[in-house]
Each structure stands twice: as structure tokens, then as C-alpha cells.
Amino acid sequence: MSDSGIRVGLGHDRHRLVPGRPLILGGVTIEFEMGLDGHSDADVLLHAVTDAILGAAGLGDIGEWFPNTDPQWGNANSAHFLLTAIDEVRKRGWEISNLDCTIHAERPKLSPYKHSIAARIADLLRLDVTQVNVKAKTGEKVGPIGRQEAIDADAIVLLVRSTPET
Ligand code: MG
């Protein structure tokens, strides 16, 4: 069977909004009175991006690589998960063509942060900022997003083969 040399991957994540935690989205700390609950730093966007990258390469999901029952990932910087994933993917001869993502949050207003978040993710992945797009949507005041109970993130990534398959 011929190989198209491209792979698509999808990622989704949700974390609960709680008081007394920092809000970190795409590696950027955001001024807000609440933050995301989780075993690691709960960076919902980096988790979705990591899952998209792992998925595109057929490498399972973030929970298999970094179980949230493992004490070593307590309060972990999620950049570590992302960097491990991209390293494994590059070792297998894949490179990211582009990455698109959406953050779903009623508050805070994320439009002032979209470009700095995209720049941070591009920097972590050693991509040009034009290869990374970050969108933000509210929950229209309904559902867990609209009631400010959670923040969700979606990500989709396209991998292209960078070295011939061996
Ligand atoms: Mg997560």
C-alpha cells in the first residue's frame, strides 16, 4: 500500500476551573482569578496539542505516556509532555506541517493572548509562528464552558514525512 507521507492527528482535553490555581494555557500564564485543576500544571491546550501530535504518529495518547497516577508528573510542566511527544515523532521521521487549535473558555477574554500563545507553542516545537494558529471561543453562557466550570481545548496537526521510511 502506498504511503501518502502525511498524517493527521486530533487532540481534545478538558480541565475544571477552580480557585487557587494558576491559569496556564499553551505555556503562557494568564491573569485570572481561577485556574485549572489537574495532576500536572493542567495546561489543557498543551495536553490537546500533545495528544494531536502523538495521535498523528500513531503513538497512542498522553495518558499512556504520562499517567496521572504517576507521582513524578505531579504539578509537572506540560511543556515536558509536548517536548517528549515531538521528540518521539521526529525520531520516527515526521515533521509538523501545521498545527491549528481552539481554546473554549467563557472567561477570561483570550483574544489579547492568542498571538503570544501561538508564539510560545511555535517556540517549544521549533516551528515558525506561521505554522501555529490559536483560536478562542466562548461557551455562549451555556454548558460547562459557558458556566465557567471548565476550559476545553481542541487541536489538529498535520505531519509530513521528513526522512524516507526505513
Ligand atoms: Mg489534561
Side-chain angles (χ1 to χ4, degrees):
M1 198 168 72
S2 71
D3 187 334
S4 63
I6 58 173
R7 292 283 190 278
V8 68
L10 182 68
H12 172 81
D13 199 22
R14 166 175 292 176
H15 282 260
R16 286 190 311 122
L17 263 173
V18 292
R21 292 263 302 180
L23 178 60
I24 304 167
L25 293 172
V28 175
T29 302
I30 288 163
E31 203 64 45
F32 193 49
E33 68 263 25
M34 290 190 286
L36 294 175
D37 195 23
H39 184 63
S40 66
D41 67 6
D43 189 330
V44 66
L45 179 57
L46 288 194
H47 294 181
V49 171
T50 300
D51 256 350
I53 291 170
L54 290 171
L59 293 175
D61 65 35
I62 193 170
E64 294 170 35
W65 285 80
F66 311 102
N68 64 8
T69 49
D70 188 335
Q72 74 169 303
W73 308 124
N75 279 317
N77 181 343
S78 295
H80 173 76
F81 305 154
L82 181 72
L83 294 177
T84 303
I86 191 61
D87 199 42
E88 293 293 331
V89 164
R90 286 190 171 124
K91 273 198 285 193
R92 288 162 175 80
W94 295 100
E95 186 48 77
I96 292 178
S97 174
N98 77 302
L99 165 68
D100 187 24
C101 41
T102 305
I103 307 165
H104 303 262
E106 193 67 27
R107 285 180 61 239
K109 193 172 171 49
L110 293 174
S111 49
Y113 295 98
K114 286 189 296 187
H115 288 105
S116 51
I117 292 171
R120 175 70 182 143
I121 294 173
D123 193 42
L124 286 167
L125 292 171
R126 288 184 280 120
L127 299 173
D128 192 88
V129 73
T130 60
Q131 292 173 279
V132 179
N133 191 71
V134 174
K135 309 188 294 301
K137 299 191 82 67
T138 72
E140 294 289 335
K141 298 189 170 65
V142 295
I145 304 299
R147 291 190 297 266
Q148 298 182 58
E149 294 167 0
I151 291 180
D152 281 14
D154 298 312
I156 190 162
V157 65
L158 189 71
L159 298 182
V160 290
R161 199 159 266 300
S162 60
T163 57
E165 205 167 4
T166 47

